[in-house]
């Protein structure tokens, strides 16, 4: 899933550009304060004039330093009490002579009675950057700024530096009121500097209040790196005393991006560099890629080199983006920004409830995929890296205080596939083009997903790490296979790891009209997910509980899509009765026990080299020296398959050397007490090739398969046949302390039956033994009747031979009569 703020890298960059541009404008405005701060200048015009051949020159000094010098080529005294000065040039110096500003105009008119001076034509003002003096004025101490270099080198260097640092201002209709100290013009004001140029309509300067106002239509065009910056403002004010500039309805454009602020205040240091910007009544930043950042209020702090150092947006920050079918919307009450020394954005801190959501569409027609993703956390920290060419890219995103990340994808008309990740802390790592590559959650981390098949899975642990293959990377892989990018979601999980106290819960989809199937639960110390196989690998004492089944192994793999589990190494399984009296038709633990343990009661166990649990079919397959047992009953085979849905058990041999082996209890013979034998169950042992057991019929059928015959052994003798059928009594239907174990009620051997007991040997086609009566009836066919050979009486045949285990007698039936023969055989 792709959880990122689209094109965040350009948002604050443009804001920084806006501030730098504004700074340049107000540095220029700052220069204007010197020409108009000489409130006694008009008063001096026309008095104490010393005529020269080329006109007149007036110089004002204080403390051994030149303050200003006025030069005019000609002065004309008018009858109405005013004077005209032609070709006027006014040079103004700082108190230390370290800078020079210049005002030039073809004609100035001074009205001594009204105390006003008016420029009747164009006026050009040349402003020099502070602390760089050309040292051309008498008494100026330019060497203070130029060091100890030789004088000629100092003058040349000063002139060159001053030329590079000059700001030129042009206007007309300039009026200065000596009484109020206000200079103003309603005409267009234009200014130019090395980095660009600008203009405004109308300007007013109050020398007493130290306030300069650009009335309207403020514009500035500058060059920042290789890009052009355009700044527009409805109104601008500069207060000299407080070193503050205020902008109204300002807009800055840079490389297709635009920043807007309704009210902005810029605070300057004494050297003219910007210290802080404060925006009020709405700040908006829109990038060329369609991203938008907005907040009611904001501020930026600058270093001594006019580079942004830190910033803060408050009052409800919103982030929006709409590009290439992907919409992003984010909110946070507060956002703090941190910049590197070069002014490039490095970190952003959001707090008091961060929410980010995105909606994306990919593909067309039936392959159209809609994806919704969201991020919510009390606090989020974003780190950026330099992407070159003035761009930054999102590098990491870190949330704390309880993070919730959700995603829901829907392809065409198929069901939605939602997922949800939570953790105390979550860190997202981003690659090229701010594409999400990894996500780490620590502290109560969990992921909840619902597959298209309807299987809902939740995985939790102490720490979760997920790696993603997203966007172009995923497209490149599928293109190499000839697949379309439209078949991919926006983000694919490549791999994931969960460490520490791992808990996995899988809940299959509930079919309409059927009970909810049991959930699969697993625990481990580590879980590893590989997206290619869509399997979750559990290690570190893994344990799976599926209904009444408990499974442990060295490693357990769980399928994300099907819910199947694969166990390998030292597999151990236990079935525990649910205690609710569930029935086999409900697929509960009691039914599973009946299938596994051949109808007994109590816990049942299994061991094997590996096991596989199929969630959809309810099958459990054990391989590799598999063995199952419940009390005294047991089954061992190379392969044992349990079908919990059909309530059947199948055991298979892989070779004659590894047959299926079954050990079962038989019921106690009620006549055993008459012979002095203890009235307790006996054991029957069977080996064959294949075993099939049905819990509904309580019947097991074993065939000889490749071995040719199935062999059963008991204390009464050994039987070999092609097939053997065992019917079990219901549990609890027999006496004795071992009554919880299922016991054999009837055994039927079919095909080439051979019965041996002591020295006797019987042959036939079918043998039926009833455990409770202790009788076995051996029959054959009309052409091959049953027979028995006895070391004492020889061979005997008949239609049926009846063996009585309680007194070792044999009864022969046939021809309408019955003969009982008592024989004694070695035991």
């Amino acid at each position: 899933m792709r959880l990122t703020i689209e094109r965040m890298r350009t948002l604050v960059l443009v804001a920084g550009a806006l501030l730098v541009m504004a700074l340049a404008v107000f540095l220029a405005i700052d220069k204007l304060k010197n020409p108009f701060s000489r409130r006694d200048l008009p008063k001096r015009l026309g008095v104490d004039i010393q005529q020269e051949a080329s006109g007149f020159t007036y110089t004002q000094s204080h403390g051994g330093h030149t303050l200003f010098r006025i030069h005019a080529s000609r002065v004309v005294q008018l009858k109405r009490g005013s004077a005209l000065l032609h070709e006027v040039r006014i040079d103004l110096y700082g108190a230390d002579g370290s800078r020079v500003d210049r005002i030039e105009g073809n004609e100035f008119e001074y009205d001594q009675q009204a105390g006003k001076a008016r420029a009747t034509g164009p006026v050009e003002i040349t402003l020099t950057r502070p602390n760089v003096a050309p040292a051309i004025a008498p008494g100026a101490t330019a060497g203070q700024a130029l060091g100890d270099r030789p004088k000629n080198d100092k003058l040349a260097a000063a002139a060159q530096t001053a030329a590079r640092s000059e700001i030129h201002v042009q206007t007309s209709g300039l009026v200065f009121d000596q009484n109020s100290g206000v200079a103003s013009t309603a005409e267009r004001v234009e200014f130019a500097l090395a980095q660009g140029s600008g203009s405004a309509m109308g300007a007013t300067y109050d020398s007493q209040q130290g306030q300069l106002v650009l009335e309207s239509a403020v514009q500035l065009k500058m060059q920042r790196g290789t890009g052009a910056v355009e700044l527009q403002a409805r109104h601008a004010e500069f207060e000299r005393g407080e070193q503050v500039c205020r902008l109204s309805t300002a807009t800055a454009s840079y490389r297709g991006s635009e920043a807007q602020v309704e009210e902005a205040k810029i605070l300057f240091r004494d050297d003219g560099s910007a210290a802080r910007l404060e925006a009020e009544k709405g700040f908006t930043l829109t990038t060329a890629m369609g991203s938008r950042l907005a907040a009611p209020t904001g501020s930026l702090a600058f270093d001594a080199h006019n580079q942004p150092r830190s910033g803060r947006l408050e009052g409800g920050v919103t982030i929006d983006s709409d590009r290439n079918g992907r919409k992003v919307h984010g909110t946070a009450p507060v956002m703090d920004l941190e910049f590197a020394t070069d002014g490039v954005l490095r970190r952003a801190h959001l707090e008091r409830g961060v929410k980010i959501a995105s909606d994306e569409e990919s593909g067309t027609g039936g392959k159209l995929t809609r994806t919704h993703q969201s991020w919510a956390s009390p606090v989020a920290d974003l780190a950026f890296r330099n992407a070159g060419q003035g761009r930054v890219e999102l590098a990491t995103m870190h949330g704390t205080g309880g993070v919730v990340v959700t995603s829901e994808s829907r392809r065409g008309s198929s069901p939605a596939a939602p997922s949800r990740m939570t953790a105390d802390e979550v860190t997202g790592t981003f690659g090229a083009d701010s594409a999400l590559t990894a996500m780490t959650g620590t502290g109560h981390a969990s992921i909840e997903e619902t597959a298209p098949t309807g299987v809902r899975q939740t995985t939790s642990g102490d720490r979760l790490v997920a790696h993603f293959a997203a966007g172009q990377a995923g497209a490149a892989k599928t293109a190499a296979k000839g697949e379309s990018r439209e078949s991919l979601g926006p983000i694919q999980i490549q791999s994931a790891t969960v460490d520490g106290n791992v808990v996995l819960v899988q809940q299959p989809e509930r079919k309409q009209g059927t009970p909810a199937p049991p959930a699969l639960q697993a625990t481990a110390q580590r879980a590893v997910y590989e997206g290619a196989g869509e399997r979750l690998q559990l290690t570190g004492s893994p344990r799976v509980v599926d209904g009444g089944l408990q499974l442990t192994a060295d490693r357990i793999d769980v399928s994300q899509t099907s819910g199947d589990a694969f166990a390998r190494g030292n597999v151990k399984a236990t079935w525990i009765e649910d205690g609710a009296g569930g029935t086999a038709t409900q697929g509960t633990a009691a039914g599973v026990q009946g299938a596994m343990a051949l109808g007994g009661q109590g816990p049942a166990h299994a061991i094997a080299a590996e096991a596989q649990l199929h969630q959809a079919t309810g099958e459990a397959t054990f391989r590799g020296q598999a063995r199952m047992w419940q009390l005294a009953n047991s089954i061992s085979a190379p392969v044992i398959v349990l079908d919990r849905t059909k309530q059947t058990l199948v055991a298979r041999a892989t070779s004659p050397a590894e047959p299926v082996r079954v050990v079962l209890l038989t019921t106690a013979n009620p006549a055993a007490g008459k012979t002095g034998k203890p009235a307790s169950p006996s054991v029957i042992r069977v080996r064959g090739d294949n075993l099939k057991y049905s819990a509904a019929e309580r019947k097991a059928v074993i065939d000889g398969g490749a071995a040719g015959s199935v062999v059963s052994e008991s204390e009464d003798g050994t039987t070999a046949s092609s097939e053997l059928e065992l019917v079990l009594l219901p549990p609890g239907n027999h006496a004795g302390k071992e009554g919880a174990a299922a016991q054999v009620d009837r055994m039927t051997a079919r095909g080439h039956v051979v019965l041996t007991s002591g020295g006797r040997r019987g042959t036939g086609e079918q043998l039926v033994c009833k455990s409770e009566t202790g009788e076995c009836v051996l029959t054959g066919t009309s052409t091959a009747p049953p027979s028995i050979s006895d070391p004492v009486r020889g061979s005997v045949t008949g239609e049926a031979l009846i063996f009585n285990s309680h007194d070792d007698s044999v009864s022969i039936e046939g021809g309408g009569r019955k003969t009982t023969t008592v024989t004694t055989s070695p035991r």
Side-chain angles (χ1 to χ4, degrees):
M1 95 186 139
R2 182 174 185 174
L3 201 56
T4 171
I5 304 176
E6 183 70 20
R7 304 301 180 192
M8 183 71 181
R9 57 183 176 271
T10 59
L11 295 180
V12 183
L13 176 64
V14 178
L18 166 64
L19 299 177
V20 172
M21 292 182 291
L23 174 63
V25 174
F26 297 113
L27 283 176
I29 294 173
D30 181 51
K31 290 297 184 176
L32 293 175
K33 65 185 180 183
N34 284 324
F36 297 114
S37 63
R38 313 301 181 185
R39 287 182 290 170
D40 61 339
L41 176 59
K43 183 177 179 181
R44 299 291 184 180
L45 295 177
V47 296
D48 300 329
I49 301 296
Q50 178 182 353
Q51 288 292 126
E52 297 180 357
S54 59
F56 76 94
T57 299
Y58 174 79
T59 301
Q60 177 68 45
S61 300
H62 178 75
H65 298 288
T66 301
L67 300 179
F68 62 86
R69 183 176 64 177
I70 303 175
H71 176 79
S73 63
R74 186 164 61 95
V75 178
V76 177
Q77 187 71 38
L78 303 179
K79 294 181 178 180
R80 57 180 181 267
S82 61
L84 289 178
L85 283 71
H86 294 276
E87 297 180 0
V88 179
R89 171 177 163 179
I90 305 173
D91 294 326
L92 301 103
Y93 301 85
D96 58 357
S98 61
R99 66 178 179 181
V100 170
D101 295 334
R102 180 178 300 164
I103 302 175
E104 295 178 291
N106 289 331
E107 186 176 86
F108 279 81
E109 180 181 348
Y110 175 58
D111 187 337
Q112 292 177 325
Q113 184 176 359
K116 293 184 178 181
R118 180 189 305 271
T120 59
V123 176
E124 182 172 344
I125 305 171
T126 302
L127 309 175
T128 305
R129 188 180 67 186
N131 300 324
V132 180
I136 59 176
T141 57
Q144 296 175 2
L146 299 174
D148 298 324
R149 297 167 59 186
K151 182 176 181 180
N152 292 338
D153 290 346
K154 293 179 183 179
L155 292 175
Q160 185 178 10
T161 303
R164 288 197 306 266
S165 307
E166 288 180 347
I167 300 175
H168 300 274
V169 182
Q170 292 183 338
T171 187
S172 61
L174 183 67
V175 178
F176 181 78
D177 189 329
Q178 177 183 358
N179 298 322
S180 64
V182 175
S184 62
T185 178
E187 303 300 324
R188 179 181 177 87
V189 179
E190 297 181 349
F191 50 88
L193 60 161
Q195 294 83 5
S197 60
S199 65
M201 286 300 297
T204 301
Y205 179 74
D206 188 333
S207 61
Q208 295 182 0
Q209 301 296 327
Q211 184 182 54
L212 174 65
V213 178
L214 297 179
E215 297 294 347
S216 63
V218 181
Q219 295 183 343
L220 173 66
K221 291 184 179 181
M222 293 186 62
Q223 198 72 20
R224 178 175 172 83
T226 59
V229 179
E230 296 185 7
L231 172 66
Q232 297 179 344
R234 177 179 58 83
H235 186 78
E237 297 181 3
F238 178 74
E239 296 181 5
R240 182 184 64 190
E242 297 181 3
Q243 297 292 303
V244 173
C245 174
R246 292 179 173 86
L247 290 172
S248 299
T249 315
T251 301
S253 301
Y254 178 64
R255 290 182 175 176
S257 301
E258 184 178 271
Q260 295 179 327
V261 60
E262 188 61 28
E263 298 289 344
K265 181 170 69 173
I266 304 177
L267 292 83
F268 294 92
R269 299 182 181 90
D270 292 339
D271 62 358
S273 63
R276 183 179 178 83
L277 167 69
E278 296 178 356
E280 298 179 352
K281 298 182 180 180
F283 169 78
T284 303
L285 190 62
T286 305
T287 71
M289 298 300 181
S291 301
R292 183 177 180 272
L293 174 67
T297 61
S299 63
L300 277 176
F302 297 86
D303 60 17
H305 302 287
N306 298 322
Q307 295 286 5
R309 184 182 63 210
S310 62
R312 185 177 179 86
L313 302 176
E314 295 181 285
V317 183
T318 60
I319 304 168
D320 293 279
S321 175
D322 187 353
R323 182 170 178 261
N324 295 334
R326 186 167 188 258
K327 297 180 179 180
V328 177
H329 176 70
T331 62
V334 177
M335 175 187 285
D336 292 313
L337 306 174
E338 180 181 335
F339 300 84
T341 55
D342 56 358
V344 176
L345 178 64
R346 279 293 174 263
R347 295 178 182 85
H349 175 80
L350 296 84
E351 59 182 33
R352 302 179 191 175
V354 182
K355 295 182 179 179
I356 302 172
S358 70
D359 291 278
E360 183 173 5
E361 292 186 356
S362 59
T364 57
K367 294 183 178 180
L368 179 64
T369 300
R370 295 180 176 88
T371 303
H372 175 79
Q373 299 167 340
S374 69
W375 168 295
S377 64
V379 176
D381 290 284
L382 285 67
F384 300 86
R385 61 173 170 269
N386 195 334
Q389 298 181 351
R391 301 182 302 112
V392 295
E393 288 183 342
L394 184 61
T396 62
M397 183 174 181
H398 180 68
T400 58
V403 184
V404 178
V405 182
T406 65
S407 176
E408 181 175 292
S409 298
R410 183 188 300 271
R411 184 176 183 183
S413 59
S414 62
S419 64
R420 185 174 186 268
M421 175 182 177
T422 62
D424 294 343
E425 297 186 12
V426 173
T427 300
T429 304
F430 299 83
D433 199 28
S434 297
L436 181 64
T437 59
M439 186 170 288
T440 302
T442 56
H444 304 94
S446 70
I447 288 184
E448 180 178 325
E449 298 176 288
T450 300
T453 58
V455 176
R456 187 173 71 252
Q457 175 173 299
T458 302
T459 306
S460 62
D462 296 338
R463 186 173 186 269
L464 186 153
V465 180
H467 297 275
F468 301 94
Q472 297 178 355
K477 293 180 180 179
T478 53
K481 300 178 181 179
E483 299 177 6
S484 171
R485 172 68 179 91
E486 296 175 352
S487 65
L488 290 175
I491 290 184
Q492 291 181 318
I493 295 181
Q494 199 172 51
S495 64
T497 302
V498 185
D499 289 299
N501 301 307
V502 178
V503 177
L504 168 70
V505 178
Q506 277 194 348
Q507 179 64 60
E509 184 181 19
R510 180 176 181 176
K511 305 295 184 182
Q512 187 174 4
T514 62
L520 181 147
Q521 300 182 17
T523 60
Q525 286 303 309
R526 181 178 175 86
V528 178
Y529 170 75
E530 296 295 338
E534 295 188 340
R535 288 188 179 182
L536 190 67
Q537 182 185 105
L538 303 174
T539 56
S541 303
R543 180 186 183 88
V544 171
V545 178
D546 187 6
L549 170 64
Q550 298 180 3
L551 180 71
T552 63
D554 293 339
R555 190 182 97 183
I556 300 177
D557 297 341
V558 180
S559 172
Q560 293 281 93
T561 55
S562 65
D564 295 348
F566 307 84
R568 294 177 174 84
N570 297 315
V571 176
K572 298 178 182 179
T574 299
W575 281 263
I576 300 177
E577 189 172 2
D578 62 356
T583 64
T585 57
Q586 293 175 318
T588 60
V592 174
Q593 278 185 276
M596 198 297 293
L598 300 181
Q601 291 179 330
H605 312 277
I607 58 173
E610 61 182 45
Q612 183 173 352
L613 306 180
H614 292 278
Q615 188 80 4
T617 63
E619 284 188 351
T621 303
F622 296 84
R623 292 185 174 88
Q625 298 180 344
R627 181 173 180 265
M628 295 184 178
W629 71 94
Q630 182 186 45
L631 298 176
N633 295 342
S634 67
I635 301 172
S636 61
V639 179
I640 299 176
V641 181
L642 301 175
D643 192 321
R644 292 174 290 171
T645 303
K646 298 178 180 179
Q647 293 298 291
T648 60
L649 181 150
V650 174
R652 295 191 296 268
T654 56
S655 68
E658 294 183 285
V660 176
R661 298 180 183 273
V662 181
V663 178
L664 298 172
L665 289 180
T666 62
T667 58
N669 186 349
K674 300 178 181 180
T675 61
K677 296 182 179 179
S680 61
S682 62
V683 174
I684 180 172
R685 292 179 172 84
V686 182
R687 64 178 183 272
D689 194 73
N690 296 288
L691 177 146
K692 295 180 180 179
Y693 171 75
S694 171
E697 300 176 313
R698 303 187 64 80
K699 181 173 66 177
V701 177
I702 310 163
D703 63 56
S709 63
V710 55
V711 178
S712 65
E713 299 175 345
S714 68
E715 62 180 6
D716 297 322
T718 300
T719 301
S721 60
S722 300
E723 182 182 274
L724 184 69
E725 179 183 292
L726 301 172
V727 178
L728 306 182
L729 284 170
N733 247 22
H734 30 77
K737 63 179 182 180
E738 302 295 338
Q743 297 182 11
V744 177
D745 178 40
R746 185 175 71 252
M747 181 185 80
T748 302
R750 299 184 182 91
H752 307 288
V753 178
V754 177
L755 171 64
T756 59
S757 177
R760 295 177 299 188
R761 183 177 186 273
T763 60
E765 285 301 314
Q766 179 173 291
L767 176 68
V768 179
C769 299
K770 294 183 177 181
S771 299
E772 289 192 344
T773 63
E775 290 185 349
C776 293
V777 180
L778 178 63
T779 59
T781 64
S782 58
T783 57
S787 65
I788 183 174
S789 62
D790 183 272
V792 177
R793 298 182 180 273
S795 297
V796 179
T797 62
E799 291 182 3
L801 304 179
I802 303 173
F803 297 81
N804 298 286
S805 61
H806 62 277
D807 58 2
D808 293 331
S809 65
V810 178
S811 299
I812 304 171
E813 293 183 352
R817 60 186 177 86
K818 179 178 180 180
T819 302
T820 301
T821 302
V822 178
T823 64
T824 302
S825 59
R827 291 286 180 179

